[in-house]
Amino acid sequence: MMIYRFLSGDDDSAFCHKVTKALSEGWLLYGAPHYVFDAATGTMRCGQAVTKEVEDQPYDPDKKLVDYV
């Protein structure tokens, strides 16, 4: 089964670490990153979709995606 996550945050090193951690856990980048200016805070926000192929198992919407193996 393929699972999907969308990571988002301020455009800073913490966001880069979040994406790097996901990659180190077997997630793959899906598409290009997205950027938007948050006028309320005056900062750039970014997001990156990632996917991961996991063993065939029933999908459980109550299960955290990081808990799928």
Side-chain angles (χ1 to χ4, degrees):
M1 169 173 67
M2 180 74 67
I3 55 176
Y4 169 93
R5 290 172 63 195
F6 187 77
L7 307 173
S8 62
D10 289 340
D11 186 14
D12 59 14
S13 64
F15 177 76
C16 294
H17 284 283
K18 184 187 296 188
V19 173
T20 300
K21 182 177 186 296
L23 294 174
S24 75
E25 294 172 343
W27 293 85
L28 300 173
L29 299 177
Y30 183 82
H34 296 273
Y35 296 92
V36 65
F37 180 71
D38 183 345
T41 62
T43 59
M44 289 298 291
R45 305 265 306 154
C46 54
Q48 174 65 58
V50 292
T51 61
K52 185 176 183 180
E53 185 70 35
V54 297
E55 297 176 14
D56 284 336
Q57 54 196 294
Y59 173 70
D60 179 357
D62 295 324
K63 187 175 183 176
K64 291 183 179 181
L65 293 174
V66 295
D67 291 338
Y68 281 96
V69 291

